Amino acid sequence: MIIHPKVRGFICTTAHPQGCAANIGEQIDYVKSKGSITGGPKKVLVIGASTGYGLASRIVSAFGCGAATIGVFFERPAEAKRTATAGWYNSVAFQKAARSAGLYAKSINGDAFSDEIRQQTIELIKKDLKQVDCVIYSLASPRRTHPKTGQIYKSVLRPKEATYTNKSIDFEKNEVTEVTLPAATDEEIENTIMVMGGEDWQMWMDALDGAGVLAKGAITVAYSYIGPDVTTPVYRNGTIGAAKDHLEATARLLDTVMKKNNGRAFVSVNKALVTQSSSAIPFIPLYFVLLMRVMKKKNLHEDCIHQIYRLFGSMLYNGRPLMQVPVDAQGRVRVDDLEMRQDVQDEVAKLWQNVSTENVNEIADVQGYERDFLKLFGFGFANVDYNSDVEVDLSME
């Protein structure tokens, strides 16, 4: 099949297997160029391992720490005339690269919210690894079927207090627009917490601990975001923020439990990046194209792989005792420190006030965003011939 990108709104409905492999290769090369991380984990479970920060965590664990990794995700293989999802191709490429390097790498494809997949994961750990010393929780899903009740919860992206209007960007029309979001109902807030909060993370950790597959001194990390003042009403003070508050409260509870076995639980607050999930949030993409321009100008820009290497190499590991991991007043690890620097935020705020359809291509990095977005699906790599016929039905094993 000859594959080109087909973009609809904030998703791309095609993915290129060779391009996804090139993307994985670039990230692996970056980690290798930075060198090994002293004292890093050796047996790692990544829940939500196929894209974004979860994928970067798996790559850093394997190629920065020499770790055996198990990845859990929910991706679709190729079928009929449809390509597989980018996450499927990412995972195929990662496993091939890891095994070629002599590293253990296995994956479980299914609903990570389900007890069935939890049990399958535990059985694989018992069989092959015995225990894990690091659990990364990086699920991003718009809905969740509760494993105990069968109830389906759907998250929404809305402010909590009142209707909110601000600037956004329509990439299809290349226009700066105005978007209005109505306030969420109490039910919508609760639904979003049930999907994106900490309950499922707690269930995973309880199941792993109860099965005896958490090593002494193990750590677990979930990923979060705070962001700037301009996105606060719809993000941190919105439905997603309510879910993130619940996630952080869960981290504090888990940390108390993990410390009893010399371990820790953290929430890592990461920077705004081009991901499939962030592209769907109103206001965030416009903020991000402005942020990209400012951070690139200051030589501060980082992608997922840079963020996670810095998290592992400078904050969680590299000889640092777990009790000395740097955290903020709420106990969070802050890898968004460069994004939230005052000089960066001041410049972005000025650009936000002035940005319009007429000047957005001049004062924002729209082209950089579009390049990064297409790379998520395996497009735009110079070493890939996109006019050649390629095999799309790739096996995970």
Side-chain angles (χ1 to χ4, degrees):
M1 185 186 296
I2 295 174
I3 311 165
H4 294 294
K6 294 181 181 179
V7 179
R8 295 176 185 168
F10 56 85
I11 63 170
C12 183
T13 60
T14 55
H16 200 285
Q18 292 182 359
C20 289
N23 191 10
I24 296 298
E26 281 191 1
Q27 294 182 66
I28 291 172
D29 287 345
Y30 171 78
V31 172
K32 287 181 175 178
S33 75
K34 297 295 289 183
S36 298
I37 296 171
T38 304
K42 295 304 177 187
K43 297 177 182 180
V44 179
L45 170 63
V46 183
I47 305 160
S50 55
T51 61
Y53 279 119
L55 175 62
S57 301
R58 198 175 188 191
I59 293 171
V60 171
S61 296
F63 292 93
C65 307
T69 62
I70 293 174
V72 180
F73 45 77
F74 199 6
E75 298 291 349
R76 176 180 50 77
E79 53 185 32
K81 294 183 179 181
R82 295 176 65 186
T83 70
T85 56
W88 181 273
Y89 291 140
N90 289 339
S91 301
V92 169
F94 170 82
Q95 284 197 176
K96 182 178 179 181
R99 291 174 180 178
S100 294
L103 296 167
Y104 173 98
K106 288 189 178 180
S107 300
I108 294 174
N109 188 39
D111 181 6
F113 293 130
S114 70
D115 287 337
E116 178 187 357
I117 292 299
R118 258 190 285 276
Q119 189 57 40
Q120 191 176 333
T121 304
I122 288 169
E123 289 170 3
L124 181 59
I125 294 170
K126 285 182 175 180
K127 176 177 174 288
D128 290 357
L129 303 182
K130 309 308 178 189
Q131 292 184 317
V132 292
D133 56 3
C134 178
V135 179
I136 301 295
Y137 187 84
S138 185
L139 283 188
S141 174
R143 57 188 288 163
R144 173 188 177 213
T145 300
H146 199 282
K148 307 303 181 187
T149 67
Q151 185 170 344
I152 297 174
Y153 296 95
K154 297 180 180 179
S155 63
V156 297
L157 309 169
R158 291 187 177 180
K160 287 193 302 183
E161 303 297 333
T163 297
Y164 181 69
T165 300
N166 211 326
K167 297 176 183 178
S168 193
I169 186 168
D170 183 330
F171 285 111
E172 288 186 289
K173 297 179 180 178
N174 200 31
E175 292 179 355
V176 174
T177 61
E178 196 171 77
V179 173
T180 298
L181 295 179
T185 64
D186 290 343
E187 182 180 0
E188 287 172 328
I189 295 169
E190 182 59 29
N191 267 258
T192 305
I193 292 171
M194 292 300 292
V195 176
M196 303 176 69
E199 185 187 48
D200 184 65
W201 183 25
Q202 178 87 57
M203 286 181 166
W204 268 99
M205 297 311 297
D206 287 348
L208 294 167
D209 187 32
V213 295
L214 286 180
K216 185 177 182 178
I219 74 165
T220 183
V221 183
Y223 296 137
S224 187
Y225 181 65
I226 293 177
D229 291 342
V230 73
T231 65
T232 293
V234 74
Y235 196 91
R236 198 65 208 195
N237 287 349
T239 53
I240 297 180
K244 297 302 184 184
D245 288 343
H246 189 275
L247 185 77
E248 292 169 13
T250 302
R252 290 188 288 272
L253 292 173
L254 286 174
D255 194 46
T256 300
V257 175
M258 299 286 284
K259 282 178 178 176
K260 295 176 182 177
N261 200 28
N262 296 329
R264 296 295 307 271
F266 299 103
V267 161
S268 173
V269 180
N270 302 343
K271 75 180 287 285
L273 282 173
V274 181
T275 65
Q276 294 181 46
S277 55
S278 69
S279 301
I281 304 173
F283 320 117
I284 293 288
L286 179 58
Y287 163 73
F288 183 62
V289 292
L290 297 171
L291 177 72
M292 280 181 73
R293 179 176 177 100
V294 172
M295 293 193 75
K296 284 181 177 180
K297 185 176 70 173
K298 294 178 177 289
N299 268 334
L300 298 174
H301 180 66
E302 294 176 312
D303 288 326
C304 286
I305 198 68
H306 309 112
Q307 280 265 289
I308 299 304
Y309 186 89
R310 189 155 67 89
L311 172 66
F312 277 51
S314 299
M315 299 180 181
L316 297 180
Y317 297 107
N318 232 5
R320 183 189 299 278
L322 279 180
M323 298 305 165
Q324 295 179 19
V325 170
V327 294
D328 66 10
Q330 287 73 42
R332 304 170 297 202
V333 181
R334 300 297 295 268
V335 199
D336 66 339
D337 50 345
L338 301 180
E339 173 188 356
M340 299 310 294
R341 257 178 38 175
Q342 194 62 51
D343 60 320
V344 171
Q345 286 300 310
D346 286 348
E347 286 195 39
V348 173
K350 289 178 183 177
L351 292 173
W352 183 277
Q353 293 299 319
N354 296 323
V355 68
S356 66
T357 298
E358 291 69 34
N359 66 14
V360 66
N361 288 301
E362 298 172 17
I363 70 172
D365 192 8
V366 176
Q367 289 184 338
Y369 181 97
E370 292 175 342
R371 281 194 303 269
D372 286 355
F373 178 79
L374 288 176
K375 284 176 70 174
L376 296 175
F377 303 91
F379 298 106
F381 291 90
N383 58 339
V384 176
D385 182 358
Y386 292 99
N387 293 314
S388 291
D389 194 30
V390 294
E391 176 59 55
V392 298
D393 190 9
L394 303 185
S395 171
M396 194 67 65
E397 296 299 328

